[in-house]
Structures are given as structure tokens and as C-alpha cells.
């Protein structure tokens, strides 16, 4: 006999989740996972569609392509942003440094090794005698083709004829404490 309301006589059947509720929860979890994957895989998909905000172009830049818009369907428009490349014009190297390099090469061409060595920096003078003999022998006809550098040094690309063969290389001049320039080093090789 059973008496209603007594604690020892509760319904002993296990509770079950109805199949409709389980399917609904499963669909919601799948939709949430798909939304999160899409949000991370396609950044910007949550942003609104439209022309967007264009950024101002700095005055010292070169634009390599212009903005374009293409119509994919009557209701959507895709706008591509311009690519901006910053171009800086290198500062011209000091004329004094370029002139020292040109004078050094002229002394070599004239066969005046002591005057060429005199244009070298103090710490490099002891190496210049051997370096001139091996890389840029007296009588070589080499001229400056292009220059670059900063206020502290000049790097000159050179080309010409060394030992009867076409050659090219670089010559570097550094600024001394007094503001003048001196030849630091050079490298000459066969032109290829």
C-alpha cells in the first residue's frame, strides 16, 4: 500500500530528455561553432558591407594602384583599397667626399701612388700601398659611376679598365673630425 506524501515512495523512473530538445541543443551548438570558425577564418565578415572609410593618402607617397570597385551583384559592392608605397629620395652624398674619391682615382690613373696614399685615412695608409698594387695598379682607368651615402660617408660605385680588363667595384670615403673626407677602403673586381 502506498501513501501519498511519504518520503520513501517517490517515482523511481529515470527522467529522459525528449528527442526534440536534444536535437535543438545540438543544432544550436553546431551553429555557434560554425559562427566562431567563420568569424576567425574570414576576418571582417562581421563588419557591415558598404563603401567603408577611406584613409587619407600622405603627401610623400607614391600610389601603385588606384581604388577600384566591382559590382558582384546588384545588392553588394566590393571595394579594394589602394596599395601605398613610400618612396624616399636618398640624400645626396657630400660633394667633398665624392671629390676625394674622384681625386684618388685620378692619382692612380696618373701613376702618382704617394699622392693617392695621401688621400687615404690615417689608419688605412699603411695598407694602401699593397692594396693599390694588388687591386688597382697604377695606370688603371676607373671612374665614379654612381654615388650614395650619408653626411658621414660616401660609397661610390666605380667602373673602368684595370690591367687591360673591364673592372668594377666600390670606393668608400669617410668624414674626418675636421670635416674633410679621406678614402677608407676600396674593392675592385672583373666586370661580368
Amino acid at each position: 500500500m502506498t501513501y501519498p506524501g511519504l518520503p520513501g515512495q517517490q517515482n523511481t523512473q529515470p527522467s529522459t530528455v525528449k528527442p526534440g530538445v536534444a536535437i535543438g541543443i545540438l543544432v544550436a551548438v553546431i551553429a555557434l561553432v560554425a559562427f566562431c570558425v567563420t568569424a576567425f577564418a574570414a576576418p571582417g565578415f562581421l563588419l557591415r558591407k558598404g563603401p567603408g572609410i577611406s584613409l587619407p593618402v600622405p603627401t610623400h607617397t607614391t600610389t601603385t594602384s588606384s581604388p577600384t570597385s566591382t559590382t558582384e551583384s546588384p545588392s553588394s559592392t566590393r571595394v579594394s583599397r589602394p596599395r601605398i608605397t613610400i618612396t624616399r629620395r636618398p640624400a645626396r652624398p657630400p660633394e667633398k667626399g665624392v671629390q676625394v674619391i674622384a681625386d684618388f682615382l685620378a692619382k692612380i690613373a696618373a701613376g702618382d701612388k704617394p699622392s693617392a696614399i695621401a688621400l687615404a685615412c690615417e689608419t688605412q695608409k699603411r695598407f694602401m700601398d699593397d692594396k693599390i698594387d694588388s687591386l688597382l695598379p697604377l695606370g688603371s682607368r676607373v671612374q665614379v659611376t654612381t654615388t650614395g651615402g650619408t653626411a658621414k660617408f660616401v660609397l661610390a660605385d666605380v667602373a673602368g679598365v684595370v690591367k687591360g680588363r673591364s673592372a668594377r667595384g666600390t670606393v668608400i670615403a669617410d668624414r674626418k673630425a675636421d670635416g674633410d673626407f679621406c678614402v677608407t677602403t676600396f674593392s675592385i673586381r672583373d666586370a661580368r
Side-chain angles (χ1 to χ4, degrees):
M1 185 182 295
T2 60
Y3 296 103
L6 291 178
Q9 297 180 348
Q10 293 181 353
N11 188 359
T12 57
Q13 290 183 345
S15 65
T16 59
V17 178
K18 295 185 179 182
V21 174
I23 291 174
I25 292 173
L26 183 62
V27 169
V29 168
I30 291 172
L32 181 62
V33 168
F35 176 80
C36 291
V37 168
T38 305
F40 286 110
F45 115 98
L46 294 174
L47 300 176
R48 66 178 175 89
K49 301 288 183 189
I53 299 172
S54 61
L55 298 173
V57 178
T59 57
H60 295 107
T61 61
T62 304
T63 304
T64 57
S65 67
S66 60
T68 59
S69 65
T70 57
T71 304
E72 294 174 2
S73 69
S75 64
S76 70
T77 302
R78 182 180 54 150
V79 176
S80 63
R81 304 269 187 242
R83 291 187 179 176
I84 298 172
T85 305
I86 298 175
T87 36
R88 294 184 179 156
R89 292 194 176 97
R92 291 182 53 163
E95 290 297 321
K96 285 183 180 181
V98 175
Q99 188 60 50
V100 166
I101 292 172
D103 290 347
F104 176 78
L105 296 173
K107 303 291 185 200
I108 297 292
D112 188 1
K113 188 189 285 186
S115 295
I117 293 173
L119 294 172
C121 297
E122 286 300 318
T123 58
Q124 299 299 319
K125 285 185 180 182
R126 65 176 190 236
F127 305 113
M128 282 295 167
D129 189 33
D130 291 335
K131 202 164 186 178
I132 289 171
D133 289 341
S134 63
L135 295 176
L136 194 61
L138 297 177
S140 298
R141 304 280 180 208
V142 178
Q143 296 179 347
V144 174
T145 56
T146 59
T147 59
T150 66
K152 295 183 179 183
F153 77 95
V154 174
L155 174 74
D157 291 323
V158 296
V161 177
V162 176
K163 297 181 185 177
R165 295 191 311 214
S166 184
R168 64 185 173 112
T170 57
V171 180
I172 300 174
D174 285 336
R175 184 182 294 273
K176 298 187 292 185
D178 65 2
D180 288 335
F181 281 82
C182 58
V183 174
T184 306
T185 189
F186 62 90
S187 173
I188 306 292
R189 61 197 171 282
D190 287 340
R192 294 185 183 164

